[in-house]
Amino acid sequence: MPPSSNKPVFNALASPITETPPTPKRTDPANHPIKGLNLAILFSSLTLVSFLSMLDTSIIGTAIPHITSDFHALADIGWYVSAYTLGAATLQPLSGKLYTFFSTKLVFLSFVFMFEAGSLICGVASSSAVFIVGRAVAGLGVSGILNGALTVIAASVEKSRSPMYTGFFFAVAQMGVVVGPLVGGGLTQLVSWRWCFYLNLPAGGVAALILTFIHFPEVVKKEPVSFALLRKVAPELDLFGFVLFVPPSILFILALQFGSGNTYAWDSATVVGCLVGSGVLFVLFILWEWKMGDRAMIPGNLFKKRVVSVSYAFGICNAICMLVASNFLPTFFQAVKGDGPSLSGVHLLPSILGQLLFTMSTGALVSKLGYYLPWAFGGSVILTIGNGLVSTFSSTTSVGKWVGYQIVMGVGRGVILQLPLIAVQNAVAPPQIPIAMAVLVFIQNFGVSIGITISNAVFAQTLIKAVRRYAPSISPQAVLDAGSIAGAVRDLAIGHEGELDGILRAYSEGLSNVFYLLVGFSCAAVVLSLGMGWVDVRKKKETGKPTEDPQVKAEKMEG
């Protein structure tokens, strides 16, 4: 295919480039498919690395109680998750542009190296602060792994077989999220929570080593890396937008963390200053992105489409409900119920299996029946009921109740998990799909960063107040320092045995308020689902009539 200097250049998750100084030359990946053993090795290695990156999002849940106890930093729970998801969100839009202009292999292996380095820092961390840094570095690495793998797969297989490979890739990679709590609980109980991160080193290292010696087909021809190329590409990367985005994000999370962890009062100059500074810098970021237009890190034209913007908001609510619950439920089973890490992972199986079963079945049913809006609405209602039921958990909750309530919550999460992606794909013209998907992943990660920090603030503040009310002889700071493993929580009552029930009640109340917050997010999802578009996503049979342009169809749908 001849080079084009007038059309935008895309890769699997890249943003459209309307002015392209380097002008990469297009090649047709279907002309250069990989077959046989080479394809099997390449595909397996890419899938393994992506599985590890997804595993890292949930494996920490059952390990958090031990981590907080080892570091005496219960108030840092929010950072353990938000640092990772914020890192993943920060470089997500930028990573697509890097894959557009630079060697796919070089960029992908660079992100894998960053992920491995972050995992190593987490494994050897001697303090909560070092651990948080490691999580942030690992998150930065993850930001380019998934979309890089999809880019390589698209260039490596025949177009007719690409959907099959992509579907299998997603199925295996997302299993990492599902089995994370079980793996994390087992490693924490049998070896150490540090092996939740050491695990990535040999597995990811071997995969990266194999990928180093395998040829990566390119979707577009790339110029060799040079300072001249860097100078030409730099204006297209919206680096200034990236610089403007990071500080306000960190300042906002710092404000929530400082206030919730009793480091500073909520009305202190430090907390208020962080919030004001964050707000001012966010305004500057939005103004800059508007000025950059299609070259922006986050193109604003996508948000002008009602179905897309509503689906983005729906996706944020969904992601927050899933990851906040995954990271706080182990605290209930370990701190309140007295489970060990492995058993707490096993006790999460009702929600895990419910989610897994309905994620797969809902995707198949939407493909068969066509319309996703009823599933989005119904799944959100079920999730709201499930979150409400889980909010009633206490030290006296029976096995039948905590199993049944988790199943309801898991079914709701499974039904709606992939619906934002389906809605966005069908709301934009085909050339816009890559950037639309990149922004969806970006805002979900960023939303989770904020949501988990707010949840942690709710939990910590409720716990402090509840301990003063139900166990007045126990220091709230001692509770925060104890973390949330079963033994440490019960050791708080040594010499105050009569107040153990009060301590457990305080933990239960803190967790209940977290799930009340999730009820709010899932209620918002119910309302948002009604604006996601009444669209039949089934492929229409050829009738000999001209096919309506997808962009026109999307605009009619919004109207």
Side-chain angles (χ1 to χ4, degrees), residues 29-52:
N31 292 334
H32 306 281
I34 299 177
K35 298 181 180 180
L37 182 60
N38 286 340
L39 176 59
I41 295 174
L42 175 63
F43 184 79
S44 300
S45 300
L46 292 171
T47 304
L48 173 59
V49 173
S50 300
F51 172 84
L52 293 174

Side-chain angles (χ1 to χ4, degrees), residues 68-275:
T68 56
S69 293
D70 282 1
F71 292 146
H72 307 294
L74 183 61
D76 285 349
I77 286 179
W79 276 112
Y80 298 161
V81 180
S82 62
Y84 184 81
T85 53
L86 181 60
T90 301
L91 281 183
Q92 178 66 41
L94 185 61
S95 67
K97 295 187 176 184
L98 294 176
Y99 280 115
T100 298
F101 291 108
F102 299 103
S103 163
T104 303
K105 177 187 287 190
L106 177 62
V107 176
F108 184 79
L109 291 177
S110 297
F111 279 114
V112 173
F113 176 79
M114 200 180 303
F115 172 66
E116 295 283 283
S119 299
L120 178 61
I121 294 171
C122 289
V124 302
S126 57
S127 67
S128 184
V130 174
F131 182 78
I132 291 169
V133 170
R135 290 290 287 168
V137 173
L140 291 172
V142 166
S143 66
I145 288 178
L146 191 63
N147 50 330
L150 289 170
T151 300
V152 177
I153 292 171
S156 301
V157 301
E158 297 174 356
K159 286 183 177 180
S160 61
R161 305 183 68 188
S162 182
M164 178 186 70
Y165 278 94
T166 302
F168 184 78
F169 169 81
F170 268 120
V172 176
Q174 290 185 349
M175 279 297 294
V177 178
V178 175
V179 303
L182 293 173
V183 176
L187 290 174
T188 301
Q189 175 111 19
L190 300 176
V191 191
S192 165
W193 61 262
R194 297 179 185 275
W195 274 95
C196 295
F197 308 99
Y198 289 148
L199 171 69
N200 296 327
L201 301 179
V206 169
L209 182 63
I210 293 172
L211 291 172
T212 302
F213 297 100
I214 293 181
H215 170 65
F216 277 37
E218 295 283 4
V219 176
V220 295
K221 291 181 179 179
K222 314 288 179 62
E223 293 183 26
V225 177
S226 64
F227 286 110
L229 178 62
L230 292 174
R231 284 197 302 270
K232 287 188 289 185
V233 170
E236 304 299 324
L237 299 181
D238 190 18
L239 296 177
F240 188 66
F242 172 75
V243 171
L244 284 177
F245 170 77
V246 176
S249 304
I250 295 175
L251 283 174
F252 184 70
I253 292 176
L254 277 174
L256 296 178
Q257 197 67 30
F258 286 155
S260 66
N262 268 4
T263 307
Y264 298 97
W266 284 104
D267 58 354
S268 68
T270 300
V271 173
V272 173
C274 286
L275 290 173

Side-chain angles (χ1 to χ4, degrees), residues 291-313:
K291 178 179 181 295
M292 290 293 291
D294 287 342
R295 295 171 62 191
M297 188 173 83
I298 306 174
N301 62 337
L302 286 173
F303 294 89
K304 295 178 182 178
K305 303 177 187 296
R306 175 182 56 81
V307 172
V308 175
S309 57
V310 170
S311 298
Y312 283 167

Side-chain angles (χ1 to χ4, degrees), residues 176-531:
V177 178
V178 175
V179 303
L182 293 173
V183 176
L187 290 174
T188 301
Q189 175 111 19
L190 300 176
V191 191
S192 165
W193 61 262
R194 297 179 185 275
W195 274 95
C196 295
F197 308 99
Y198 289 148
L199 171 69
N200 296 327
L201 301 179
V206 169
L209 182 63
I210 293 172
L211 291 172
T212 302
F213 297 100
I214 293 181
H215 170 65
F216 277 37
E218 295 283 4
V219 176
V220 295
K221 291 181 179 179
K222 314 288 179 62
E223 293 183 26
V225 177
S226 64
F227 286 110
L229 178 62
L230 292 174
R231 284 197 302 270
K232 287 188 289 185
V233 170
E236 304 299 324
L237 299 181
D238 190 18
L239 296 177
F240 188 66
F242 172 75
V243 171
L244 284 177
F245 170 77
V246 176
S249 304
I250 295 175
L251 283 174
F252 184 70
I253 292 176
L254 277 174
L256 296 178
Q257 197 67 30
F258 286 155
S260 66
N262 268 4
T263 307
Y264 298 97
W266 284 104
D267 58 354
S268 68
T270 300
V271 173
V272 173
C274 286
L275 290 173
V276 172
S278 174
V280 171
L281 290 174
F282 264 129
V283 171
L284 292 176
F285 170 73
I286 292 171
L287 291 174
W288 174 259
E289 293 296 279
W290 175 78
K291 178 179 181 295
M292 290 293 291
D294 287 342
R295 295 171 62 191
M297 188 173 83
I298 306 174
N301 62 337
L302 286 173
F303 294 89
K304 295 178 182 178
K305 303 177 187 296
R306 175 182 56 81
V307 172
V308 175
S309 57
V310 170
S311 298
Y312 283 167
F314 182 87
I316 290 174
C317 294
N318 178 21
I320 289 174
C321 286
M322 182 175 71
L323 287 178
V324 169
S326 296
N327 284 281
F328 275 96
L329 270 178
T331 297
F332 166 76
F333 284 113
Q334 295 186 43
V336 179
K337 284 294 191 179
D339 291 350
S342 294
L343 189 57
S344 71
V346 172
H347 286 168
L348 293 176
L349 277 175
S351 62
I352 292 171
L353 295 177
Q355 178 178 326
L356 179 61
L357 176 62
F358 277 81
T359 296
M360 295 187 296
S361 58
T362 301
L365 288 170
V366 169
S367 297
K368 183 176 180 61
L369 302 177
Y371 296 93
Y372 57 78
L373 191 150
W375 298 96
F377 178 81
S380 302
V381 171
I382 295 172
L383 180 59
T384 301
I385 296 171
N387 285 332
L389 292 172
V390 173
S391 72
T392 66
F393 281 6
S394 69
S395 60
T396 59
T397 301
S398 66
V399 173
K401 286 184 176 180
W402 61 251
V403 169
Y405 295 173
Q406 279 194 86
I407 290 175
V408 176
M409 182 182 66
V411 168
R413 291 190 333 211
V415 168
I416 66 177
L417 181 61
Q418 55 187 313
L419 298 183
L421 184 147
I422 295 173
V424 170
Q425 282 182 330
N426 286 275
V428 300
Q432 290 182 302
I433 290 176
I435 185 58
M437 294 297 99
V439 174
L440 175 61
V441 174
F442 165 78
I443 65 169
Q444 282 186 313
N445 279 323
F446 183 64
V448 168
S449 301
I450 303 300
I452 196 74
T453 307
I454 294 174
S455 301
N456 186 63
V458 169
F459 174 69
Q461 290 299 300
T462 303
L463 181 62
I464 290 170
K465 294 177 181 177
V467 165
R468 289 171 179 160
R469 187 163 59 249
Y470 303 131
S473 65
I474 306 298
S475 164
Q477 190 58 49
V479 174
L480 293 178
D481 291 341
S484 51
I485 62 173
V489 171
R490 281 146 186 80
D491 286 346
L492 291 168
I494 294 177
H496 309 275
E497 281 75 11
E499 295 196 338
L500 177 59
D501 288 342
I503 295 172
L504 299 182
R505 185 176 178 183
Y507 273 89
S508 297
E509 192 167 298
L511 292 165
S512 292
N513 284 348
V514 168
F515 279 91
Y516 290 151
L517 178 66
L518 298 189
V519 168
F521 279 111
S522 53
C523 283
V526 173
V527 177
L528 290 166
S529 68
L530 300 175

